[in-house]
């Protein structure tokens, strides 16, 4: 499986964010997108998943399900956690697993992010870090080859960061792909780096 | 289909759980209806004559104002991004949210409308028919309002903007809804033709509304 | 024990638990007495047996207003003394007051059917009660919308006091509006003095309703305190896990 971007360009509101960008990511490989604030890291991830339209070029996921779009084969983790405070921890995760793909072992996924004891609590009671962990639990619960992570570890403490890096390594070992926007190493071992920035 | 059901159920659950959200529309409806006699006077004959019109206006405003935050909350907390990575097209996801809104906001309106009709001295035998016109017409209001709710997200505004965008589009629904309700009460015009047109408007909106709303949302999220 | 001692939630819980069974028994007994009296009260020479609806209608109207008064006092307690129990009292009273107000509207409408020939007439008194019901709905909506109990408290207290100031104005306006429009065709209860054979059970029913209100209110306050404790404990649970 291979994520292939060819000569990709994106502009928003008349301003060109990036152009002429080509890269590929193979299975078991992680690509770390770096760059200063406003360099277009988030935009690139949103472009890959199809939330933002390309102005030029093409992005494909080769070797996946032929009929499925990149979005359907990706987990997108943005700045927001997509968690409803009025629903319980478990209900939040159950909803996303049902919506994104069907049956899943929700409790096992909650255990992977150490939230299983809080499954019955309303998500409103969670701290920012716990909400982020709940948001990441769906990556464990539903198998999708491509993970698109926009600074996934911001709210996490060092213990949780370590734990998430273990999850990421496991995903790569299983033949998954990761594209992460980050300032630091983000817990990835020897990632390839794609530096965005003003030319 | 599973994704559709999951989203529908989540929205229903949220509406029931968050701040009595499901009842707010019905409360607003009640208040609009109660305010009218203060404006036009408590004359029961007059109220009986304009009763269906008041019920329809109140029902329409309640439906549309409740739509205000339909996409805004999902947009703000990032849910909308994830909804687009699902296996159903955005059009269907949008429709699921609209159906949930109809079930939680419009259905209570339809249910309490006979009671409010009674207070407005609408003829007792016609109360069921008036409720039926609301049942048939509120899907049109919801699915037309859907487009406004999506545009409101795109423009980062809400409230009055939604009403300004959408109300003119719902004029046909109001015309045929009130016509059908009046026909049920007084005649002599038959109930059938305006009611059939009302149903047609609803069906057309159910098909077209989600397409337009999805387009607006795609634009909003860029 | 001084009154201030009951202001401690834990002590309040103890007291409420001790009082509630007695209050419940007293409520049932007074209701039995009052209903018995009401059933044996003579029919009105004009209205026949329908006059008996009055035994439910009048006390519930009274308690609908009493509920708002209670909430206003509680609102002062919340805003001026910032007492935690005051908010609990106000929040617990709102749905009960609303329920009695609704009961008053429903019985009034059922009473109106034989009197006016229709279920609803925009009679000044009934309409004022309806507006009171709408005010209750507003306070309830405010409580429902507030995600944290503490935040809703002050907002609801302010709304309650604004309502309390407004209620006489609303009542006056509705009376004026009604006399402006309506010919005096509406049935009026006043005028003739009420016979003791009716007055006596009416008083009994009023006491029974008041006892019912107090019982329900005390139970609701207890539930609200417990609900807040559950919430606090769950928050601690969530935090405890984070620090572990």
């Amino acid at each position: 499986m291979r994520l292939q971007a060819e000569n990709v360009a994106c502009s928003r509101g008349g301003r060109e964010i990036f152009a002429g960008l080509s890269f590929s990511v193979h299975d078991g490989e992680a690509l770390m997108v770096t760059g200063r604030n406003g360099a277009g890291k988030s935009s690139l991830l949103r472009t890959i998943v199809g939330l933002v339209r390309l102005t030029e070029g093409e992005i494909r996921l080769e070797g996946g399900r032929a009929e499925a779009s990149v979005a359907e084969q990706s987990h997108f983790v943005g700045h927001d956690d997509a968690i409803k405070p009025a629903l319980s921890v478990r209900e939040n995760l159950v909803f996303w697993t049902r919506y994104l793909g069907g049956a899943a072992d929700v409790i096992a996924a909650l255990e992977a992010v150490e939230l299983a004891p809080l499954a019955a609590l309303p998500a409103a009671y969670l701290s920012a870090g716990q909400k982020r962990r709940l948001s990441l639990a769906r990556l464990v619960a539903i198998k999708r080859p491509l993970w698109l992570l926009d600074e996934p570890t911001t709210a996490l403490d060092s213990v949780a960061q370590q734990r998430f890096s273990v999850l990421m390594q496991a995903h790569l070992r299983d033949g998954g792909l990761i594209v992460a926007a980050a300032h630091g190493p983000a817990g990835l071992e020897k990632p390839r780096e794609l530096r965005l920035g003003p030319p | 289909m599973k994704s559709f059901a999951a989203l529908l159920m989540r929205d229903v659950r949220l509406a029931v759980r968050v701040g009595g959200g499901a009842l707010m529309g019905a409360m607003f409806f009640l208040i609009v209806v109660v305010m009218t006699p203060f404006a036009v006077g408590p004359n029961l004959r007059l109220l009986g004559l304009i009763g269906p019109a008041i019920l329809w206006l109140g029902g329409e405003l309640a439906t549309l104002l409740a739509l205000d935050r339909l996409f805004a909350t999902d947009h703000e907390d990032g849910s909308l991004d994830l909804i687009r990575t699902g296996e159903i097209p955005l059009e269907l996801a949008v429709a699921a949210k609209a159906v949930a809104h109809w079930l939680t906001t419009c259905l209570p309106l339809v249910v309490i409308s006979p009671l409010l009709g009674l207070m407005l001295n609408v003829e007792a035998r016609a109360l069921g028919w008036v409720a039926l016109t609301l049942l048939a017409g509120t899907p049109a209001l919801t699915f037309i309002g859907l487009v406004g709710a999506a545009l409101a997200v795109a423009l980062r505004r809400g409230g009055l903007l939604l009403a300004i965008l959408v109300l003119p589009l719902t004029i046909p629904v109001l015309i045929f809804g009130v016509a059908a309700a009046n026909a049920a009460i007084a005649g002599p015009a038959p109930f059938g033709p305006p009611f059939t047109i009302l149903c047609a408007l609803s069906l057309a909106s159910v098909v077209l509304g989600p397409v337009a709303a999805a387009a607006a949302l795609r634009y909003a999220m860029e | 024990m001084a009154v201030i001692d009951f202001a401690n939630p834990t002590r309040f819980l103890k007291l409420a638990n001790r009082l509630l069974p007695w209050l419940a028994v007293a409520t049932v007994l007074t209701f039995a007495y009052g209903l018995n009296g009401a059933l044996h009260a003579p029919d009105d020479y004009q209205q026949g047996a329908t006059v008996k609806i009055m035994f439910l209608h009048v006390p519930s109207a009274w308690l609908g207003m009493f509920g708002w008064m209670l909430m206003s006092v509680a609102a002062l307690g919340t805003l001026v003394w910032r007492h935690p129990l005051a908010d609990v009292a106000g929040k617990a009273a709102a749905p009960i007051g609303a329920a009695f107000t609704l009961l008053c509207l429903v019985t009034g409408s059922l009473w109106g059917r034989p009197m006016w020939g229709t279920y609803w007439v925009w009679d000044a008194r009934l309409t004022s009660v309806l507006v009171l019901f709408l005010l209750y709905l507003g306070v309830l909506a405010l409580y429902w919308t507030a995600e944290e109990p503490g935040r809703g408290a002050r907002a609801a207290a302010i709304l309650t006091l604004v309502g309390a100031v407004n209620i006489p104005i609303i009542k006056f306006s509705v009376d004026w509006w009604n006399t402006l429009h309506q010919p005096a065709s509406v049935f009026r209860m006043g005028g003739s003095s009420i016979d003791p054979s009716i007055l006596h059970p009416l008083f009994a029913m009023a006491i029974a309703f008041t006892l019912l209100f107090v019982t329900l209110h005390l139970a609701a306050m207890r539930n609200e305190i417990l609900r807040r404790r559950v919430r606090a404990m769950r928050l601690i649970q969530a935090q405890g896990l984070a620090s572990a």
Side-chain angles (χ1 to χ4, degrees), chain A residues 114 133 157 159, chain C residues 238-244:
Chain A
E114 300 204 315
R133 270 148 61 196
D157 58 26
V159 179
Chain C
Q239 280 164 8
L241 203 87
S243 61

Side-chain angles (χ1 to χ4, degrees), chain C residues 53 57 100-112 119-120 126:
Chain C
I53 297 176
H57 178 69
F100 277 109
T101 311
L102 183 64
L103 185 65
C104 173
L105 288 172
V106 171
T107 50
S109 148
L110 289 176
W111 199 3
Y119 282 106
W120 188 263
L126 264 182

Side-chain angles (χ1 to χ4, degrees), chain C residues 31 34-35 38 50-64 99-108 110-111 201-202 205-206 208-209 212:
Chain C
F31 257 109
L35 282 175
T50 52
V51 76
K52 292 203 194 315
I53 297 176
M54 178 183 73
F55 293 111
L56 297 178
H57 178 69
V58 174
S60 48
W62 191 65
L63 280 161
F100 277 109
T101 311
L102 183 64
L103 185 65
C104 173
L105 288 172
V106 171
T107 50
L110 289 176
W111 199 3
L202 185 60
M205 285 303 284
F209 266 69
L212 178 64

